Amino acid sequence: MCGIIAITTSSKTNVSKMITDSLKKLEYRGYDSVGVATINNGKIEILKDIGMIDKVNKRLSLENLRGTIGIGHTRWATHGAINQENAHPHSDCKGNIIVVHNGIIENYLDLKKTLKEKGHFFSSETDSEVIAHLMEEELKQDNPNSSKINAFKRVINKIEGTYAITLIHSKDPETIFLARKDSPLVIGVREDTKFAASDIPAFLEYTKQVIVLKNGEIATLTPQAVYIEKNGFRVQPKPVIISWTAESAQKSGYPHFMLKEIHEQPIALKNTLNIDPRVIEKASNKILEAERIIFLACGTSYHAGLSGYHQFQRILKKRPLYKVIASEYETYSHLIDEDTLIIAVSQSGETLDVMKGLGAARKTRASIISVANVIDSSIPRLSQIALYTKAGPEIGVAATKTHTAQVALLARLALQIEHDVGLLNTTEFNENLGTLVTEAPQITRTIINQNEFKAKELAAKISNQNHAYFLARGYNLPIALEGALKLKEISYIHAEAFPAGESKHGPIAIVEPDFPVVIISPNDWTAKKMLSSTEEMRARGAYIISVTEEGHNIIERSDYPFILPTSLSLLRPITHILPLQMLAYYAAVKRGFDPDKPKNLAKTVTVE
Ligand code: M6R
């Protein structure tokens, strides 16, 4: 949550334009307010206000600030109202030290009290502002010419909580100071310019050489050099070259990132399923060694984990398997020991709830496999085996291509396990694998193309509704849960998903004529019972939308059926979510909302 960018360059360019462009690429992380600060001729210049970048930029001309060093921030409010004072950057009393921060400083009230007693004047209600004042206070102890890094290190030692911090000082006009703990921060390296940002797409246009700052590391950037240390010891930076292209982080003619990302699913699946078989075999061995397995994730990634859970359950039968929403991990802590394997699923690889769960699991020496999209992010680094989805950068807040890529990767893993436990011989395994790898991208493309217009038409029909239900049974429930999450998070139509059989135990009470009910019903063992649930809803006048397959009786009992080809059961959590992603997208657009930036949400959730 919150997007940070900092740039220092020896070229004669003003960095504010680059900072503003980078902030636009980070806007998915928060968009309550925005601000930019630069150092120009030894003086700090700051502009900030509430609202989205383009509007604030138009009002204040953020991109016209002068100076070859600067920092920027796009905010998702935690401490303090959404107002101009609380917008980042924040400064010390004299306006020499400027800071932007992502995370939460847990001891800020105590620090603020002490600093106020020492005469510091605070301009905002944020936790972040204490960092600038602490730096001011620490520098008082040092010779004005001594290196500021020592004061910065003392500041970092004093703060508790989670943080990605970038700080600049008007008297050190080439240096950016960085620190990170549990909130992401990556460094971009170009010969004459160095970048620090919350996420790689922020500077992808300028460089593909990336250094991921690790927890507990402190760094300084100057136009020519990157210096990193941890616990007082120098760390040799290891840049990696990112294969993502600058274009992959742009809309490329689509009106929104979400629509572009929906259409990118065939290629995301193709790339993801092209994974090195040795990594999958290693993961399968680890799974088979474990006494119990816990899927740990949040939101859409949790729904992918649920699909994995059902696949694994079918194969591993009596092996204890659990599915845990990461923010609830404490409730399951009694299950976690050295014989436990956690499968952590996370697009960003930075979700704090998941990281906290993994932190606790590591203390018990549990094993960890992760499924993540962002290379070298925190969650893969906490794992013994990191499996990567190759979906490319996902900018829309609502996860689409990364979700189906996660499901595909877990399906690939399930197939390997099925082979390794002897349920599939090598010929059957190779056949199924071939089908998965070739069919998933093809069928996905076909379904998107055949159903996009229908999804748009249906969205127009239901866009004036306030509620919707999504029903399914058994292993199809994750599809209903994900469909409901997509619709509610971007169109703000209240959407609830539950096992179809539960409706008569309460939810059906509010069904009235035209109430939209989405029925997920493939041609499988759930079909008959889903038909009964459909009839119960129809009897109350519900408007039945079905996601079903050719030949299913439900088609004629539906007001609006999406009729998909009957596919491999492994593929259903991928294929059957596609019309619902498009329905959510077009419902949001029809209702006049920006699907890429739903209110109150951020792409990467780095607070508990
Ligand atoms: O980065 P992660 O996959 O760990 O994020 C988890 C959730 O925050 C995320 O899936 C969220 O639910 C999305 N907004 C869903 O579209």
Side-chain angles (χ1 to χ4, degrees), residues 1 258 296-303 345-354 371-374 379 394 396-400 402-403 406 482 485-486 489-490 598 601-606:
M1 278 162 160
M258 184 177 173
L296 187 80
C298 305
T300 287
S301 294
Y302 175 72
H303 300 152
V345 187
S346 172
Q347 178 281 130
S348 61
E350 299 289 351
T351 298
L352 193 59
D353 287 327
V354 180
V371 174
N373 194 49
V374 179
I379 290 168
E394 188 175 69
V397 166
T400 51
T402 56
H403 172 69
Q406 289 166 342
E482 178 57 10
L485 176 59
K486 283 289 90 80
E489 74 175 325
I490 57 169
L601 292 179
K603 182 82 181 157
T604 309
V605 183
T606 51

Side-chain angles (χ1 to χ4, degrees), residues 304-596:
L306 273 184
S307 291
Y309 165 90
H310 285 289
Q311 309 271 13
F312 281 36
Q313 199 179 48
R314 178 179 57 81
I315 302 162
L316 295 174
K317 306 226 160 62
K318 292 194 172 143
R319 181 93 46 116
L321 289 180
Y322 302 86
K323 42 199 182 343
V324 176
I325 290 182
S327 54
E328 292 285 309
Y329 76 90
E330 278 111 338
T331 318
Y332 296 84
S333 52
H334 61 287
L335 293 172
I336 303 176
D337 62 22
E338 58 190 1
D339 298 317
T340 309
L341 169 74
I342 314 268
I343 303 185
V345 187
S346 172
Q347 178 281 130
S348 61
E350 299 289 351
T351 298
L352 193 59
D353 287 327
V354 180
M355 283 167 62
K356 290 279 171 181
L358 294 185
R362 274 165 67 105
K363 287 195 187 128
T364 68
R365 307 190 48 230
S367 306
I368 302 169
I369 295 179
S370 59
V371 174
N373 194 49
V374 179
I375 304 284
D376 224 9
S377 50
S378 300
I379 290 168
R381 274 195 274 109
L382 289 169
S383 327
Q384 279 92 32
I385 302 177
L387 303 176
Y388 285 107
T389 49
K390 300 255 171 58
E394 188 175 69
I395 313 289
V397 166
T400 51
K401 62 175 179 173
T402 56
H403 172 69
T404 45
Q406 289 166 342
V407 174
L409 196 48
L410 290 169
R412 168 69 183 87
L413 189 53
L415 214 52
Q416 187 67 45
I417 300 169
E418 208 171 355
H419 169 259
D420 295 352
V421 296
L423 289 175
L424 290 179
N425 65 33
T426 305
T427 317
E428 290 163 334
F429 168 73
N430 284 333
E431 264 172 32
N432 284 353
L433 182 59
T435 315
L436 177 68
V437 170
T438 50
E439 259 198 30
Q442 276 170 17
I443 197 168
T444 302
R445 180 170 290 112
T446 308
I447 291 173
I448 293 171
N449 292 342
Q450 287 178 352
N451 291 281
E452 185 169 357
F453 176 77
K454 288 187 74 183
K456 193 172 177 182
E457 183 182 66
L458 176 61
K461 281 187 205 283
I462 64 155
S463 64
N464 57 351
Q465 295 290 334
N466 295 320
H467 306 276
Y469 280 163
F470 287 67
L471 310 187
R473 280 175 194 258
Y475 51 64
N476 296 320
L477 190 60
I479 305 169
L481 289 165
E482 178 57 10
L485 176 59
K486 283 289 90 80
L487 186 67
K488 84 179 108 184
E489 74 175 325
I490 57 169
S491 78
Y492 317 141
I493 295 173
H494 165 238
E496 236 183 291
F498 45 86
E502 273 296 286
S503 67
K504 56 192 179 293
H505 297 289
I508 202 165
I510 63 165
V511 173
E512 57 187 8
D514 292 335
F515 190 110
V517 176
V518 180
I519 305 277
I520 317 294
S521 187
N523 283 324
D524 61 8
W525 67 267
T526 68
K528 264 198 188 139
K529 288 187 169 190
M530 289 308 295
L531 204 51
S532 310
S533 306
T534 305
E535 293 303 342
E536 285 164 16
M537 290 294 174
R538 273 180 71 89
R540 273 97 196 155
Y543 184 77
I544 304 293
I545 299 157
S546 58
V547 180
T548 186
E549 294 172 2
E550 288 150 350
H552 195 312
N553 290 341
I554 207 169
I555 297 171
E556 55 198 63
R557 306 301 291 153
S558 308
D559 297 292
Y560 208 97
F562 287 99
I563 308 164
L564 312 185
T566 297
S567 57
L568 260 189
S569 60
L570 274 180
L571 289 179
R572 283 191 180 125
I574 300 172
T575 50
H576 289 47
I577 193 60
L578 301 170
L580 302 180
Q581 293 174 341
M582 295 189 284
L583 175 64
Y585 170 78
Y586 282 109
V589 172
K590 183 73 190 169
R591 285 161 68 92
F593 303 121
D594 180 348
D596 286 343

